[in-house]
Amino acid sequence: MTLLAVTNPATLEIVGHVPDQGEAEARKAVDRAAAAAGGWRDVAPRERAEMLRRVYENLMLSRDDLVRLITAENGKATADALAEVGYAAEFFRWFAEEAVRTDGSYGTAPAGGVRSVVTARPVGIAALVTPWNFPAAMATRKLAPALAAGCTVVLKPAAETPLTALAIADLVREAGVPGGVVNVVTTTDPATVVGAWLADPRVRKVSFTGSTGVGKVLLHQAADRVLNTSMELGGNAPFVVTEDADLPAAVAGAMVAKFRNGGQACTAANRFLVHRDVAGDFVVRLGAEVEKLSVGAAADGCQIGPLISAAAVSRVRTKVDAAVAAGARITHRAALPDLPGHFYPPTVLTDVPPGADLVREEIFGPVASVLTWSTEADLLAAANDTEYGLAGYVFAGDLQRAIRLGEALDAGMVGINRGLVSDPSAPFGGVKQSGLGREGARDGLREFQETQYLAVDWS
């Protein structure tokens, strides 16, 4: 069997191997999911809920082991990995509680003689495709609601970070979830594996987190079979600072919104839109914090880890260099470590041209581009001038104004005077080309259910 080597992006050391699987293994995974589907669907909601609660407990008991796996295969800082494990586990606790609260209704038809019974049932076998940037949380955010709804699943984690997904699948089985309910396929050929799933008539759902480009390809494939789809795609989040904002709070929020996981998050602040009157002060304060950041390997206690690959570093560097050539200025930078990994220095730029790729496209790196504005009309035009609409952030002294500006942003999620929007109890997702559907909250469970209506003759 061909093996896939998993490499630490901070040290370039191989940390493990997993099977490099293909179409045959993908079909066998669906076979197992299909064999388990009827039994899992018929498990009482309370029993499913108790299993999911045990998964949460298993994740928390295994927290240190999962942190070591995440830092080894993803490279992120230990503090970021700890936060991710807690966040990932919380999805199982939340959906354990939601598993016994499926929606339904009963009513009388207006014409009389008929009773309407409306229920929710599992959509069926679900294909889950997850990225490398949050290898635990992106898996559990899909797994937990799918299992709560009564679906069996086939899961393809990113080739860069498969170890965490396999560990989570083990913890799911240890919690009593029957074999065949969760099936993980690791591969360097995602198009073949996922393509086999989308062509299989037994698969009735695809849930994908990743780039908008790949999402569009999957949507085209899903359309051939009219598959139920959920798409959590790219972002280009504006971070708005008004002239009356609390600047220390705005800078603290910016450090979270921009530099969590080294900026490798779809919700990361991509463009800082700061009022002209306070822009200079904001840049000085932000730059001072950025220069303090320690960059390196998780084992060294760093705050910022590497980017996931050499290609990712090259992509960020190309965007920054092009912006500088067009007139942008680098005002602050953190120091880089003497390590062989894929590092890029946390950077602050000003005078960034509005048309630069650095602000038009998702950076996915530790780079803060600062632009200025004077009127709210100009601000909103700039903030919404993107095909993406996942997240946004507003820092303002006047709360009513902050909410008004937040409501005017074309974004599915907006942080008001805070730099973090993700929460298992809240609906995660975007508008425009940032995706379809929602994850988390009650909405996340509905993504894995279909509505059935029974018309009962009552005459």
Side-chain angles (χ1 to χ4, degrees):
M1 175 182 289
T2 304
L3 294 179
L4 185 170
V6 182
T7 303
N8 185 326
T11 64
L12 306 189
E13 297 172 343
I14 294 176
V15 296
H17 293 84
V18 299
D20 191 357
Q21 298 172 310
E23 183 174 354
E25 291 84 4
R27 295 193 183 282
K28 289 177 182 177
V30 179
D31 292 341
R32 293 191 294 271
W40 182 244
R41 181 190 59 230
D42 294 338
V43 171
R46 176 65 69 194
E47 188 177 348
R48 283 204 302 267
E50 289 172 352
M51 291 183 202
L52 297 190
R53 173 70 193 202
R54 288 196 292 272
V55 177
Y56 162 76
E57 293 166 355
N58 287 349
L59 286 165
M60 296 308 293
L61 288 171
S62 302
R63 181 183 60 183
D64 292 344
D65 291 337
L66 289 170
V67 166
R68 281 191 288 270
L69 272 182
I70 292 170
T71 57
E73 65 178 354
N74 174 279
K76 68 175 59 179
T78 299
D80 281 344
L82 275 168
E84 181 185 349
V85 173
Y87 178 54
E90 193 64 27
F91 282 106
F92 274 99
R93 178 156 67 168
W94 172 263
F95 285 107
E97 296 164 346
E98 290 298 299
V100 297
R101 299 189 179 95
T102 56
D103 289 337
S105 66
Y106 170 84
T108 302
V114 175
R115 297 294 189 270
S116 301
V117 180
V118 180
T119 61
R121 64 181 188 178
V123 68
I125 298 174
L128 314 179
V129 184
T130 57
W132 51 262
N133 57 336
F134 290 90
M138 297 302 95
T140 64
R141 197 162 72 186
K142 299 180 188 298
L143 281 170
L147 300 188
C151 298
T152 57
V153 305
V154 287
L155 167 65
K156 188 210 76 66
E160 295 86 350
T161 57
L163 301 176
T164 303
L166 291 168
I168 290 172
D170 286 342
L171 295 175
V172 169
R173 285 189 288 271
E174 289 174 13
V177 175
V181 173
V182 174
N183 307 275
V184 181
V185 175
T186 55
T187 184
T188 57
D189 188 7
T192 294
V193 167
V194 179
W197 290 345
L198 298 190
D200 193 313
R202 297 171 294 177
V203 174
R204 291 306 313 155
K205 168 79 181 185
V206 57
S207 179
F208 169 75
T209 297
S211 72
T212 296
V214 174
K216 289 179 179 179
V217 171
L218 295 181
L219 282 169
H220 277 287
Q221 293 176 315
D224 289 338
R225 292 191 45 243
V226 195
L227 274 184
N228 184 316
T229 61
S230 297
M231 295 280 150
E232 197 274 282
L233 307 177
N236 187 358
F239 188 104
V240 175
V241 181
T242 65
E243 70 275 18
D244 65 340
D246 179 335
L247 287 189
V251 168
M255 295 301 292
V256 174
K258 173 71 263 182
F259 295 103
R260 182 171 65 104
N261 197 29
Q264 297 175 111
C266 55
T267 57
N270 214 53
R271 301 162 290 148
F272 288 83
L273 304 175
V274 185
H275 192 277
R276 190 175 302 277
D277 291 350
V278 296
D281 194 4
F282 177 83
V283 168
V284 169
R285 291 171 182 266
L286 178 64
E289 295 302 312
V290 167
E291 289 179 348
K292 294 176 188 176
L293 291 173
S294 59
V295 182
D300 300 328
C302 70
Q303 295 168 287
I304 301 290
L307 299 189
I308 193 64
S309 65
V313 174
S314 176
R315 185 169 57 248
V316 173
R317 181 181 294 119
T318 296
K319 285 180 169 58
V320 171
D321 290 349
V324 170
R329 294 188 304 114
I330 294 174
T331 61
H332 301 82
R333 261 187 166 162
L336 285 180
D338 184 17
L339 288 171
H342 309 307
F343 295 97
Y344 191 86
T347 301
V348 178
L349 297 98
T350 61
D351 302 326
V352 181
D357 286 349
L358 204 56
V359 295
R360 302 295 300 174
E361 301 174 4
E362 192 171 31
I363 303 169
F364 240 62
V367 177
S369 301
V370 180
L371 300 89
T372 61
W373 58 275
S374 297
T375 69
E376 286 190 11
D378 291 340
L379 163 65
L380 293 174
N384 292 328
D385 183 21
T386 173
E387 63 188 9
Y388 301 106
L390 184 61
Y393 305 88
V394 178
F395 278 77
D398 182 336
L399 183 58
Q400 287 185 329
R401 183 189 186 194
I403 293 174
R404 177 170 53 78
L405 289 172
E407 290 177 338
L409 295 181
D410 292 337
M413 303 172 288
V414 180
I416 302 295
N417 289 332
R418 60 179 282 122
L420 187 66
V421 294
S422 302
D423 190 293
S425 65
F428 187 105
V431 299
K432 299 195 288 190
Q433 294 194 35
S434 283
L436 300 168
R438 293 294 183 269
E439 296 183 314
R442 175 61 60 87
D443 306 60
L445 184 62
R446 292 193 186 103
E447 293 287 326
F448 291 93
Q449 294 175 322
E450 288 182 323
T451 299
Q452 185 176 44
Y453 150 61
L454 305 178
V456 182
D457 189 339
W458 211 257
S459 58

